[in-house]
Amino acid sequence: MRKMLLALVLGLTTTTAFAAGQHDASHAATSEADVDRTIRVEAGDMWFDPEGIEVAPGETIRFEITNTGNIEHEFVIGDAQAQEAHREMMQEMDGSHGDGHEGHGGHDMAEGAHGGEMPAVTIAPGETAELVWTAPGNVERLEYACNLPGHYESGMSGNIDIRE
Amino acid sequence: MASSRVITHPLSRRQILKGGAALGLGSAAALGLRPSWANPWGQTNIYSKGIEVGPEVSLAIRRESIPIDGKEARPFSINGTSPGPMIRLKEGQDAVLRVTNLLDEPTSIHWHGLILPPGMDGVPGVSFPGIAPGETFTYRFPVHQNGTYWYHSHSGLQEQLGHAGPLIIDAAEREPFRYDREHVLLLTDWTFEDPMSVFRNLKTAEGYYNFQERTIADFFADVREKGLSATAEMRGMWAKMRMSSRDIADVTGSTYSYLLNGHSPEENWTALFQAGERVRLRVINGSAMSYFDLRIPGLKMTVVSADGQPVQPVPVDEFRIGVAETYDVLVTPEDDSAYTIFAEAMDRSGYARATLAPREGMAAEIPERRKIADRGMEAMGAHDMEGVEHAEMERGADGDREGMDHSTMQGMDHSNMQGMSGERSRMNANGMLAAGAAQPGSRYDQAGIGIDSGERRVLVYRDLKAFTPWPDRREPERELELHLTGNMERYMWSFDGKKFSEVTGPIRFNKNERLRLILVNDTMMEHPIHLHGMWMELENGQGELIPRKHTLNVKPGERVSALITADAEGSWAFHCHLLYHMDAGMFRVVKVA
């Protein structure tokens, strides 16, 4: 049992920073100094590791997402409803992204429900991409997901619980 | 009992909780009798006909009275159930499977889709002599694969009477999807008739089980729609082929009870879930003769595996499963309500049904059955098939290839088939199509007769795509073309016009050669073609990511191809998996030397 718990801790390769300064929850450009914490995420075929994270409202996170799978994945942050809308759009487009979502590893926005935008990044197999994001103060739960057709349904999602 | 063996997997607290939930909610039939366990990826081990966990399993074959659909029946049983229990092995194990024949006739078990030594394949007369009454045969082989497979008798027509069951192999490494719970759905077609008399009926009276033949009323309806001359011409063509345009299946719901895990639609077998769980359904078509179209109204299904091999996920509303094929799908029912698992026979003469529900005793609406399709519509160009209709008509169904006009095959190259123009230019050094390219004359973008892809998203062969290229990347050195031939009226089915009893020797594969097998269906029926001992890489146009299958559905008039690495020395069965077609002669031995 102890061995297993250790494995679980190692599995969550998060490094906690002590600073938890004030940030507003906008998507404004964030400098290196503003990052409170780096969370490494593994995107495999068809899963994310870790399968869920906890953040504080206003915390700025740098996600380092490594695609260890054989096919392309994306990492999108948004609420469940917006993720579903994005997923439906992707399926209609047969898996290809629209404008500005072509490049691998670049910062991007995915279109969610009602034209809202979600922070998103696409990662080619073997590559690592970064996404800096600040947790909003007005919601309790968001999801990170890959919405390429069938990927979310196969298990590529995780919850972001936002609490003090 | 083998199933009481403790499986040691490190379990996290969450997974233990999951296991507990499975226990609390599990199928009532399985609970209390069978232990439930979970592995790190959330598998739950529940199957309504019992489970035998490997690597060492003993199976006893009997013929006994077991009610089916509430009526008196005498099926074959395996360890007392019919269909048999789920056999659960693990990748990397050395399986030891002892099969004891308690019948008064010889029997056998073939492990469908498994790559194993030729002596362990279980085909009497090809792999071994069979298992005589009173004898025990011990199958021993290393398990080098994982996924959803099945097992069945390869002796006579025993398979028709419940001599089959699911064979599940757990992966040694993480699979490319995650799930909270799983269920096996084994589809079969049961008859209360003696299979020998079913076969005699088919031989003596074509259309014996087909009560959906066109009538004089249909004739007048056609005349109204198409005019007299077109109608008369169409009827004439079908007459010339000695077939009816409503020969969708040769054995139908008029004799068959379609069963799911051994239960009739009325018995409503129930698969349980908790709202929000991701559920893996392992669907196996263990029928003798029946193709099914499966859907779960209200739920999107994501296909994650075909014939036991992982494929890139495909979200669909419905899929067609040929005889002997398997598909794994994921569903995530979000609310606390019941869903109908609806598997409609391809000819619409009946259906198998079960319910996916949070509790026992629930039911959802059963969809209305669709009308039988008419092959005339397909042949008359309803699917962009100009050219094909003539080829099909001229070829006829009597296995006489001399009369076949190959120039019309050329004509098909120019027809409007998806993705073909690009691939035609890709030839390899031998002047053959590049590995992975779709053959002209293939219809991988169509699910087949009577299934409307406009109405809902239906799985097609073109969708199947592996995650990584299979190890042998060689271009094919040689092409071997076989025609699927038959005469419906005389119920003769064959390869290249020759029944198994008429051929002099085996089909020869050279040891370790890379071969392209081309199958041309000269008949107007679907044939699920199964090669033992080696994978067939279906050249569905996905290039180096073509999927690996053990059974290929070849649609009427279609030309499909597969790449084979002939690395399995020995003799192997190769046949149509429609039981009565195989018995009628659509069977060959492949010898790899």
Side-chain angles (χ1 to χ4, degrees), chain B residues 409 412-413 415 417-421 423-424 427 431-444 462 476 479-481 516-520 538-542 558-563:
Chain B
M409 294 299 289
M412 296 206 307
D413 298 358
S415 70
M417 283 176 205
Q418 198 185 59
M420 217 156 69
S421 49
E423 279 142 12
R424 277 195 56 69
M427 298 283 183
M432 293 186 280
L433 274 183
Q439 291 284 321
S442 60
R443 303 203 304 275
Y444 299 126
R462 167 77 66 172
E479 289 183 343
L480 177 71
E481 185 172 311
R516 170 177 284 144
L517 178 67
I518 300 174
L519 301 170
V520 185
L538 172 66
E539 293 187 289
N540 63 346
Q542 294 290 7
E558 196 179 27
R559 175 186 172 93
V560 309
S561 70
L563 297 176

mmCIF file of all heavy atoms in Angstrom, chain B residues 409 412-413 415 417-421 423-424 427 431-444 462 476 479-481 516-520 538-542 558-563:
data_model
loop_
_atom_site.group_PDB
_atom_site.id
_atom_site.type_symbol
_atom_site.label_atom_id
_atom_site.label_comp_id
_atom_site.label_asym_id
_atom_site.label_seq_id
_atom_site.Cartn_x
_atom_site.Cartn_y
_atom_site.Cartn_z
ATOM 1 N N MET B 409 -14.946 -4.319 -64.978
ATOM 2 C CA MET B 409 -14.201 -4.033 -63.758
ATOM 3 C C MET B 409 -13.394 -2.747 -63.952
ATOM 4 O O MET B 409 -13.295 -1.920 -63.071
ATOM 5 C CB MET B 409 -13.233 -5.167 -63.429
ATOM 6 C CG MET B 409 -13.899 -6.477 -63.074
ATOM 7 S SD MET B 409 -14.941 -6.355 -61.607
ATOM 8 C CE MET B 409 -13.685 -6.170 -60.350
ATOM 9 N N MET B 412 -15.271 0.296 -63.444
ATOM 10 C CA MET B 412 -15.533 0.733 -62.081
ATOM 11 C C MET B 412 -14.490 1.729 -61.583
ATOM 12 O O MET B 412 -14.766 2.509 -60.711
ATOM 13 C CB MET B 412 -15.565 -0.468 -61.143
ATOM 14 C CG MET B 412 -16.697 -1.414 -61.467
ATOM 15 S SD MET B 412 -17.202 -2.356 -60.054
ATOM 16 C CE MET B 412 -15.661 -3.035 -59.556
ATOM 17 N N ASP B 413 -13.298 1.640 -62.196
ATOM 18 C CA ASP B 413 -12.236 2.545 -61.749
ATOM 19 C C ASP B 413 -12.637 4.008 -61.891
ATOM 20 O O ASP B 413 -12.160 4.852 -61.165
ATOM 21 C CB ASP B 413 -10.965 2.333 -62.576
ATOM 22 C CG ASP B 413 -10.430 0.936 -62.411
ATOM 23 O OD1 ASP B 413 -11.033 0.163 -61.638
ATOM 24 O OD2 ASP B 413 -9.437 0.624 -63.050
ATOM 25 N N SER B 415 -15.666 5.151 -61.685
ATOM 26 C CA SER B 415 -16.883 5.530 -60.978
ATOM 27 C C SER B 415 -16.509 6.392 -59.785
ATOM 28 O O SER B 415 -15.349 6.549 -59.425
ATOM 29 C CB SER B 415 -17.660 4.298 -60.536
ATOM 30 O OG SER B 415 -16.968 3.648 -59.503
ATOM 31 N N MET B 417 -15.900 6.745 -56.649
ATOM 32 C CA MET B 417 -15.613 6.131 -55.360
ATOM 33 C C MET B 417 -14.602 6.927 -54.582
ATOM 34 O O MET B 417 -13.577 7.346 -55.084
ATOM 35 C CB MET B 417 -15.146 4.701 -55.554
ATOM 36 C CG MET B 417 -16.338 3.816 -55.848
ATOM 37 S SD MET B 417 -15.801 2.177 -56.179
ATOM 38 C CE MET B 417 -17.170 1.625 -57.166
ATOM 39 N N GLN B 418 -14.900 7.060 -53.321
ATOM 40 C CA GLN B 418 -14.157 7.967 -52.457
ATOM 41 C C GLN B 418 -12.674 7.606 -52.375
ATOM 42 O O GLN B 418 -12.311 6.471 -52.168
ATOM 43 C CB GLN B 418 -14.779 7.886 -51.066
ATOM 44 C CG GLN B 418 -14.417 9.037 -50.186
ATOM 45 C CD GLN B 418 -14.976 8.820 -48.807
ATOM 46 O OE1 GLN B 418 -14.677 7.851 -48.140
ATOM 47 N NE2 GLN B 418 -15.824 9.733 -48.370
ATOM 48 N N GLY B 419 -11.864 8.608 -52.539
ATOM 49 C CA GLY B 419 -10.446 8.449 -52.240
ATOM 50 C C GLY B 419 -9.674 7.581 -53.204
ATOM 51 O O GLY B 419 -8.546 7.210 -52.951
ATOM 52 N N MET B 420 -10.285 7.237 -54.350
ATOM 53 C CA MET B 420 -9.637 6.253 -55.184
ATOM 54 C C MET B 420 -8.654 6.884 -56.146
ATOM 55 O O MET B 420 -7.590 6.344 -56.391
ATOM 56 C CB MET B 420 -10.692 5.494 -55.962
ATOM 57 C CG MET B 420 -10.347 4.058 -56.111
ATOM 58 S SD MET B 420 -11.820 3.134 -56.377
ATOM 59 C CE MET B 420 -12.268 3.687 -57.979
ATOM 60 N N SER B 421 -9.019 8.058 -56.660
ATOM 61 C CA SER B 421 -8.188 8.650 -57.706
ATOM 62 C C SER B 421 -6.760 8.869 -57.194
ATOM 63 O O SER B 421 -5.802 8.573 -57.890
ATOM 64 C CB SER B 421 -8.802 9.962 -58.175
ATOM 65 O OG SER B 421 -9.120 10.754 -57.047
ATOM 66 N N GLU B 423 -5.182 7.269 -54.883
ATOM 67 C CA GLU B 423 -4.455 6.054 -54.584
ATOM 68 C C GLU B 423 -4.060 5.279 -55.840
ATOM 69 O O GLU B 423 -3.116 4.518 -55.822
ATOM 70 C CB GLU B 423 -5.315 5.153 -53.688
ATOM 71 C CG GLU B 423 -5.247 5.581 -52.245
ATOM 72 C CD GLU B 423 -6.563 5.440 -51.536
ATOM 73 O OE1 GLU B 423 -7.474 4.806 -52.084
ATOM 74 O OE2 GLU B 423 -6.679 5.970 -50.443
ATOM 75 N N ARG B 424 -4.788 5.499 -56.908
ATOM 76 C CA ARG B 424 -4.517 4.716 -58.111
ATOM 77 C C ARG B 424 -3.133 5.001 -58.680
ATOM 78 O O ARG B 424 -2.534 4.165 -59.327
ATOM 79 C CB ARG B 424 -5.586 4.975 -59.167
ATOM 80 C CG ARG B 424 -6.808 4.129 -58.947
ATOM 81 C CD ARG B 424 -7.709 4.115 -60.158
ATOM 82 N NE ARG B 424 -7.022 3.679 -61.379
ATOM 83 C CZ ARG B 424 -6.598 2.466 -61.621
ATOM 84 N NH1 ARG B 424 -6.732 1.547 -60.715
ATOM 85 N NH2 ARG B 424 -6.022 2.160 -62.754
ATOM 86 N N MET B 427 1.722 3.258 -57.293
ATOM 87 C CA MET B 427 2.073 1.876 -57.612
ATOM 88 C C MET B 427 3.466 1.585 -57.038
ATOM 89 O O MET B 427 4.305 2.465 -56.972
ATOM 90 C CB MET B 427 2.133 1.677 -59.128
ATOM 91 C CG MET B 427 0.818 1.919 -59.831
ATOM 92 S SD MET B 427 -0.304 0.530 -59.612
ATOM 93 C CE MET B 427 -1.689 1.071 -60.619
ATOM 94 N N GLY B 431 4.577 -2.859 -60.030
ATOM 95 C CA GLY B 431 3.386 -2.442 -60.764
ATOM 96 C C GLY B 431 2.115 -2.713 -59.994
ATOM 97 O O GLY B 431 1.017 -2.628 -60.536
ATOM 98 N N MET B 432 2.248 -3.044 -58.708
ATOM 99 C CA MET B 432 1.068 -3.271 -57.887
ATOM 100 C C MET B 432 0.749 -2.003 -57.110
ATOM 101 O O MET B 432 1.597 -1.145 -56.941
ATOM 102 C CB MET B 432 1.327 -4.422 -56.918
ATOM 103 C CG MET B 432 1.476 -5.761 -57.608
ATOM 104 S SD MET B 432 1.619 -7.126 -56.431
ATOM 105 C CE MET B 432 3.325 -7.039 -55.961
ATOM 106 N N LEU B 433 -0.473 -1.928 -56.625
ATOM 107 C CA LEU B 433 -0.851 -0.800 -55.787
ATOM 108 C C LEU B 433 0.045 -0.757 -54.558
ATOM 109 O O LEU B 433 0.452 -1.792 -54.047
ATOM 110 C CB LEU B 433 -2.297 -0.956 -55.314
ATOM 111 C CG LEU B 433 -3.425 -0.456 -56.216
ATOM 112 C CD1 LEU B 433 -4.750 -0.637 -55.513
ATOM 113 C CD2 LEU B 433 -3.220 0.991 -56.610
ATOM 114 N N ALA B 434 0.348 0.445 -54.087
ATOM 115 C CA ALA B 434 1.173 0.598 -52.890
ATOM 116 C C ALA B 434 0.462 -0.018 -51.695
ATOM 117 O O ALA B 434 -0.772 -0.028 -51.638
ATOM 118 C CB ALA B 434 1.445 2.074 -52.639
ATOM 119 N N ALA B 435 1.236 -0.522 -50.734
ATOM 120 C CA ALA B 435 0.674 -1.144 -49.535
ATOM 121 C C ALA B 435 -0.269 -0.171 -48.839
ATOM 122 O O ALA B 435 0.052 0.995 -48.665
ATOM 123 C CB ALA B 435 1.793 -1.558 -48.590
ATOM 124 N N GLY B 436 -1.435 -0.680 -48.489
ATOM 125 C CA GLY B 436 -2.388 0.126 -47.734
ATOM 126 C C GLY B 436 -3.421 0.832 -48.586
ATOM 127 O O GLY B 436 -4.421 1.330 -48.075
ATOM 128 N N ALA B 437 -3.187 0.905 -49.919
ATOM 129 C CA ALA B 437 -4.130 1.592 -50.800
ATOM 130 C C ALA B 437 -5.368 0.730 -51.027
ATOM 131 O O ALA B 437 -5.292 -0.494 -51.054
ATOM 132 C CB ALA B 437 -3.455 1.908 -52.128
ATOM 133 N N ALA B 438 -6.514 1.394 -51.189
ATOM 134 C CA ALA B 438 -7.761 0.667 -51.417
ATOM 135 C C ALA B 438 -7.860 0.218 -52.864
ATOM 136 O O ALA B 438 -7.518 0.956 -53.784
ATOM 137 C CB ALA B 438 -8.941 1.561 -51.065
ATOM 138 N N GLN B 439 -8.297 -1.015 -53.065
ATOM 139 C CA GLN B 439 -8.462 -1.555 -54.413
ATOM 140 C C GLN B 439 -9.612 -0.837 -55.130
ATOM 141 O O GLN B 439 -10.614 -0.508 -54.509
ATOM 142 C CB GLN B 439 -8.846 -3.034 -54.334
ATOM 143 C CG GLN B 439 -7.761 -3.952 -53.835
ATOM 144 C CD GLN B 439 -6.710 -4.232 -54.879
ATOM 145 O OE1 GLN B 439 -7.020 -4.402 -56.061
ATOM 146 N NE2 GLN B 439 -5.464 -4.262 -54.472
ATOM 147 N N PRO B 440 -9.463 -0.653 -56.447
ATOM 148 C CA PRO B 440 -10.638 -0.210 -57.197
ATOM 149 C C PRO B 440 -11.723 -1.274 -57.066
ATOM 150 O O PRO B 440 -11.426 -2.467 -57.159
ATOM 151 C CB PRO B 440 -10.138 -0.099 -58.639
ATOM 152 C CG PRO B 440 -8.795 -0.709 -58.673
ATOM 153 C CD PRO B 440 -8.291 -0.869 -57.278
ATOM 154 N N GLY B 441 -12.939 -0.860 -56.824
ATOM 155 C CA GLY B 441 -14.005 -1.841 -56.646
ATOM 156 C C GLY B 441 -14.316 -2.100 -55.189
ATOM 157 O O GLY B 441 -15.253 -2.828 -54.870
ATOM 158 N N SER B 442 -13.515 -1.491 -54.293
ATOM 159 C CA SER B 442 -13.843 -1.606 -52.868
ATOM 160 C C SER B 442 -14.871 -0.535 -52.525
ATOM 161 O O SER B 442 -14.952 0.493 -53.194
ATOM 162 C CB SER B 442 -12.585 -1.430 -52.025
ATOM 163 O OG SER B 442 -12.012 -0.153 -52.249
ATOM 164 N N ARG B 443 -15.662 -0.803 -51.510
ATOM 165 C CA ARG B 443 -16.664 0.181 -51.075
ATOM 166 C C ARG B 443 -16.552 0.374 -49.564
ATOM 167 O O ARG B 443 -17.490 0.165 -48.827
ATOM 168 C CB ARG B 443 -18.077 -0.280 -51.480
ATOM 169 C CG ARG B 443 -18.227 -0.527 -52.988
ATOM 170 C CD ARG B 443 -19.667 -0.426 -53.467
ATOM 171 N NE ARG B 443 -20.583 -1.309 -52.759
ATOM 172 C CZ ARG B 443 -20.804 -2.593 -53.079
ATOM 173 N NH1 ARG B 443 -20.164 -3.146 -54.097
ATOM 174 N NH2 ARG B 443 -21.669 -3.311 -52.400
ATOM 175 N N TYR B 444 -15.335 0.761 -49.147
ATOM 176 C CA TYR B 444 -15.063 0.892 -47.714
ATOM 177 C C TYR B 444 -15.791 2.076 -47.081
ATOM 178 O O TYR B 444 -15.805 2.205 -45.871
ATOM 179 C CB TYR B 444 -13.561 1.048 -47.468
ATOM 180 C CG TYR B 444 -12.738 -0.131 -47.935
ATOM 181 C CD1 TYR B 444 -11.665 0.043 -48.793
ATOM 182 C CD2 TYR B 444 -13.037 -1.419 -47.502
ATOM 183 C CE1 TYR B 444 -10.896 -1.030 -49.216
ATOM 184 C CE2 TYR B 444 -12.281 -2.505 -47.924
ATOM 185 C CZ TYR B 444 -11.212 -2.300 -48.782
ATOM 186 O OH TYR B 444 -10.452 -3.364 -49.196
ATOM 187 N N ARG B 462 -13.742 2.178 -43.841
ATOM 188 C CA ARG B 462 -12.807 3.269 -44.084
ATOM 189 C C ARG B 462 -12.389 3.968 -42.780
ATOM 190 O O ARG B 462 -11.306 4.513 -42.664
ATOM 191 C CB ARG B 462 -13.475 4.260 -45.051
ATOM 192 C CG ARG B 462 -12.822 5.605 -45.207
ATOM 193 C CD ARG B 462 -11.600 5.591 -46.073
ATOM 194 N NE ARG B 462 -11.913 5.280 -47.452
ATOM 195 C CZ ARG B 462 -11.029 5.365 -48.451
ATOM 196 N NH1 ARG B 462 -9.805 5.754 -48.215
ATOM 197 N NH2 ARG B 462 -11.372 5.047 -49.669
ATOM 198 N N PRO B 476 3.935 -5.691 -50.732
ATOM 199 C CA PRO B 476 3.632 -7.075 -51.114
ATOM 200 C C PRO B 476 4.513 -7.529 -52.273
ATOM 201 O O PRO B 476 4.780 -6.772 -53.199
ATOM 202 C CB PRO B 476 2.166 -7.012 -51.533
ATOM 203 C CG PRO B 476 1.906 -5.582 -51.834
ATOM 204 C CD PRO B 476 2.821 -4.774 -50.967
ATOM 205 N N GLU B 479 0.560 -11.054 -55.497
ATOM 206 C CA GLU B 479 -0.878 -10.911 -55.279
ATOM 207 C C GLU B 479 -1.562 -12.236 -55.538
ATOM 208 O O GLU B 479 -1.221 -12.949 -56.483
ATOM 209 C CB GLU B 479 -1.463 -9.837 -56.209
ATOM 210 C CG GLU B 479 -1.034 -8.438 -55.817
ATOM 211 C CD GLU B 479 -1.663 -7.359 -56.691
ATOM 212 O OE1 GLU B 479 -2.165 -7.693 -57.793
ATOM 213 O OE2 GLU B 479 -1.634 -6.186 -56.273
ATOM 214 N N LEU B 480 -2.512 -12.573 -54.690
ATOM 215 C CA LEU B 480 -3.282 -13.801 -54.863
ATOM 216 C C LEU B 480 -4.746 -13.397 -54.902
ATOM 217 O O LEU B 480 -5.252 -12.809 -53.947
ATOM 218 C CB LEU B 480 -3.008 -14.739 -53.687
ATOM 219 C CG LEU B 480 -3.781 -16.053 -53.675
ATOM 220 C CD1 LEU B 480 -3.271 -16.986 -54.761
ATOM 221 C CD2 LEU B 480 -3.648 -16.721 -52.312
ATOM 222 N N GLU B 481 -5.392 -13.683 -56.028
ATOM 223 C CA GLU B 481 -6.781 -13.250 -56.171
ATOM 224 C C GLU B 481 -7.707 -14.452 -56.068
ATOM 225 O O GLU B 481 -7.514 -15.460 -56.735
ATOM 226 C CB GLU B 481 -6.953 -12.543 -57.526
ATOM 227 C CG GLU B 481 -8.337 -11.955 -57.718
ATOM 228 C CD GLU B 481 -8.434 -11.079 -58.974
ATOM 229 O OE1 GLU B 481 -7.555 -10.209 -59.160
ATOM 230 O OE2 GLU B 481 -9.371 -11.281 -59.765
ATOM 231 N N ARG B 516 -0.346 -10.096 -50.877
ATOM 232 C CA ARG B 516 -1.613 -9.374 -50.934
ATOM 233 C C ARG B 516 -2.702 -10.357 -51.355
ATOM 234 O O ARG B 516 -2.627 -10.948 -52.433
ATOM 235 C CB ARG B 516 -1.550 -8.207 -51.912
ATOM 236 C CG ARG B 516 -2.944 -7.582 -52.159
ATOM 237 C CD ARG B 516 -2.881 -6.360 -53.071
ATOM 238 N NE ARG B 516 -2.378 -5.211 -52.346
ATOM 239 C CZ ARG B 516 -1.589 -4.281 -52.885
ATOM 240 N NH1 ARG B 516 -1.206 -4.380 -54.136
ATOM 241 N NH2 ARG B 516 -1.183 -3.251 -52.160
ATOM 242 N N LEU B 517 -3.676 -10.525 -50.503
ATOM 243 C CA LEU B 517 -4.817 -11.381 -50.813
ATOM 244 C C LEU B 517 -5.937 -10.487 -51.320
ATOM 245 O O LEU B 517 -6.354 -9.549 -50.634
ATOM 246 C CB LEU B 517 -5.256 -12.128 -49.545
ATOM 247 C CG LEU B 517 -6.470 -13.042 -49.682
ATOM 248 C CD1 LEU B 517 -6.158 -14.231 -50.586
ATOM 249 C CD2 LEU B 517 -6.921 -13.537 -48.303
ATOM 250 N N ILE B 518 -6.399 -10.759 -52.543
ATOM 251 C CA ILE B 518 -7.503 -9.975 -53.116
ATOM 252 C C ILE B 518 -8.737 -10.863 -53.160
ATOM 253 O O ILE B 518 -8.690 -11.980 -53.672
ATOM 254 C CB ILE B 518 -7.145 -9.463 -54.532
ATOM 255 C CG1 ILE B 518 -5.906 -8.567 -54.461
ATOM 256 C CG2 ILE B 518 -8.321 -8.722 -55.156
ATOM 257 C CD1 ILE B 518 -5.381 -8.133 -55.822
ATOM 258 N N LEU B 519 -9.815 -10.392 -52.593
ATOM 259 C CA LEU B 519 -11.064 -11.150 -52.580
ATOM 260 C C LEU B 519 -12.090 -10.430 -53.433
ATOM 261 O O LEU B 519 -12.358 -9.244 -53.224
ATOM 262 C CB LEU B 519 -11.579 -11.284 -51.144
ATOM 263 C CG LEU B 519 -10.631 -11.980 -50.153
ATOM 264 C CD1 LEU B 519 -11.141 -11.829 -48.729
ATOM 265 C CD2 LEU B 519 -10.479 -13.458 -50.520
ATOM 266 N N VAL B 520 -12.634 -11.138 -54.413
ATOM 267 C CA VAL B 520 -13.630 -10.549 -55.295
ATOM 268 C C VAL B 520 -14.944 -11.298 -55.088
ATOM 269 O O VAL B 520 -15.014 -12.511 -55.302
ATOM 270 C CB VAL B 520 -13.194 -10.648 -56.775
ATOM 271 C CG1 VAL B 520 -14.191 -9.925 -57.678
ATOM 272 C CG2 VAL B 520 -11.801 -10.080 -56.970
ATOM 273 N N LEU B 538 -6.278 -5.101 -43.473
ATOM 274 C CA LEU B 538 -7.294 -4.649 -44.432
ATOM 275 C C LEU B 538 -6.846 -3.363 -45.124
ATOM 276 O O LEU B 538 -6.673 -2.331 -44.467
ATOM 277 C CB LEU B 538 -8.620 -4.420 -43.695
ATOM 278 C CG LEU B 538 -9.751 -3.774 -44.501
ATOM 279 C CD1 LEU B 538 -10.220 -4.699 -45.613
ATOM 280 C CD2 LEU B 538 -10.905 -3.403 -43.582
ATOM 281 N N GLU B 539 -6.664 -3.414 -46.426
ATOM 282 C CA GLU B 539 -6.169 -2.240 -47.156
ATOM 283 C C GLU B 539 -7.328 -1.290 -47.464
ATOM 284 O O GLU B 539 -7.844 -1.249 -48.574
ATOM 285 C CB GLU B 539 -5.445 -2.669 -48.432
ATOM 286 C CG GLU B 539 -4.154 -3.431 -48.112
ATOM 287 C CD GLU B 539 -3.351 -3.716 -49.364
ATOM 288 O OE1 GLU B 539 -3.787 -4.557 -50.173
ATOM 289 O OE2 GLU B 539 -2.278 -3.090 -49.533
ATOM 290 N N ASN B 540 -7.694 -0.537 -46.424
ATOM 291 C CA ASN B 540 -8.859 0.334 -46.539
ATOM 292 C C ASN B 540 -8.487 1.764 -46.893
ATOM 293 O O ASN B 540 -9.260 2.682 -46.672
ATOM 294 C CB ASN B 540 -9.664 0.301 -45.227
ATOM 295 C CG ASN B 540 -8.868 0.847 -44.051
ATOM 296 O OD1 ASN B 540 -7.653 1.018 -44.146
ATOM 297 N ND2 ASN B 540 -9.544 1.131 -42.957
ATOM 298 N N GLY B 541 -7.271 1.955 -47.402
ATOM 299 C CA GLY B 541 -6.864 3.285 -47.831
ATOM 300 C C GLY B 541 -6.206 4.111 -46.736
ATOM 301 O O GLY B 541 -5.908 5.280 -46.947
ATOM 302 N N GLN B 542 -5.960 3.511 -45.564
ATOM 303 C CA GLN B 542 -5.354 4.272 -44.467
ATOM 304 C C GLN B 542 -3.828 4.170 -44.464
ATOM 305 O O GLN B 542 -3.195 4.402 -43.431
ATOM 306 C CB GLN B 542 -5.924 3.807 -43.113
ATOM 307 C CG GLN B 542 -7.399 4.114 -42.909
ATOM 308 C CD GLN B 542 -7.696 5.607 -42.741
ATOM 309 O OE1 GLN B 542 -6.828 6.446 -42.901
ATOM 310 N NE2 GLN B 542 -8.940 5.929 -42.439
ATOM 311 N N GLU B 558 -18.156 -6.635 -54.397
ATOM 312 C CA GLU B 558 -17.019 -5.844 -53.938
ATOM 313 C C GLU B 558 -15.701 -6.580 -54.149
ATOM 314 O O GLU B 558 -15.655 -7.803 -54.198
ATOM 315 C CB GLU B 558 -17.183 -5.505 -52.454
ATOM 316 C CG GLU B 558 -16.268 -4.376 -51.975
ATOM 317 C CD GLU B 558 -16.460 -4.028 -50.504
ATOM 318 O OE1 GLU B 558 -16.868 -4.901 -49.715
ATOM 319 O OE2 GLU B 558 -16.188 -2.882 -50.145
ATOM 320 N N ARG B 559 -14.645 -5.780 -54.255
ATOM 321 C CA ARG B 559 -13.285 -6.303 -54.375
ATOM 322 C C ARG B 559 -12.487 -5.687 -53.241
ATOM 323 O O ARG B 559 -12.347 -4.470 -53.165
ATOM 324 C CB ARG B 559 -12.733 -5.868 -55.738
ATOM 325 C CG ARG B 559 -11.303 -6.208 -56.022
ATOM 326 C CD ARG B 559 -10.931 -5.540 -57.374
ATOM 327 N NE ARG B 559 -9.516 -5.663 -57.636
ATOM 328 C CZ ARG B 559 -8.988 -6.675 -58.346
ATOM 329 N NH1 ARG B 559 -9.754 -7.592 -58.877
ATOM 330 N NH2 ARG B 559 -7.691 -6.725 -58.545
ATOM 331 N N VAL B 560 -11.995 -6.518 -52.327
ATOM 332 C CA VAL B 560 -11.231 -5.989 -51.201
ATOM 333 C C VAL B 560 -9.862 -6.671 -51.158
ATOM 334 O O VAL B 560 -9.655 -7.705 -51.801
ATOM 335 C CB VAL B 560 -11.954 -6.207 -49.846
ATOM 336 C CG1 VAL B 560 -13.385 -5.708 -49.894
ATOM 337 C CG2 VAL B 560 -11.929 -7.671 -49.432
ATOM 338 N N SER B 561 -8.942 -6.097 -50.429
ATOM 339 C CA SER B 561 -7.624 -6.724 -50.326
ATOM 340 C C SER B 561 -7.058 -6.588 -48.922
ATOM 341 O O SER B 561 -7.437 -5.693 -48.172
ATOM 342 C CB SER B 561 -6.649 -6.114 -51.339
ATOM 343 O OG SER B 561 -6.338 -4.792 -50.964
ATOM 344 N N ALA B 562 -6.158 -7.499 -48.604
ATOM 345 C CA ALA B 562 -5.492 -7.491 -47.299
ATOM 346 C C ALA B 562 -4.049 -7.909 -47.484
ATOM 347 O O ALA B 562 -3.733 -8.722 -48.353
ATOM 348 C CB ALA B 562 -6.196 -8.446 -46.347
ATOM 349 N N LEU B 563 -3.170 -7.326 -46.673
ATOM 350 C CA LEU B 563 -1.773 -7.743 -46.666
ATOM 351 C C LEU B 563 -1.583 -8.805 -45.592
ATOM 352 O O LEU B 563 -2.175 -8.720 -44.518
ATOM 353 C CB LEU B 563 -0.860 -6.546 -46.382
ATOM 354 C CG LEU B 563 -0.879 -5.430 -47.424
ATOM 355 C CD1 LEU B 563 -0.006 -4.268 -46.972
ATOM 356 C CD2 LEU B 563 -0.405 -5.949 -48.784
#
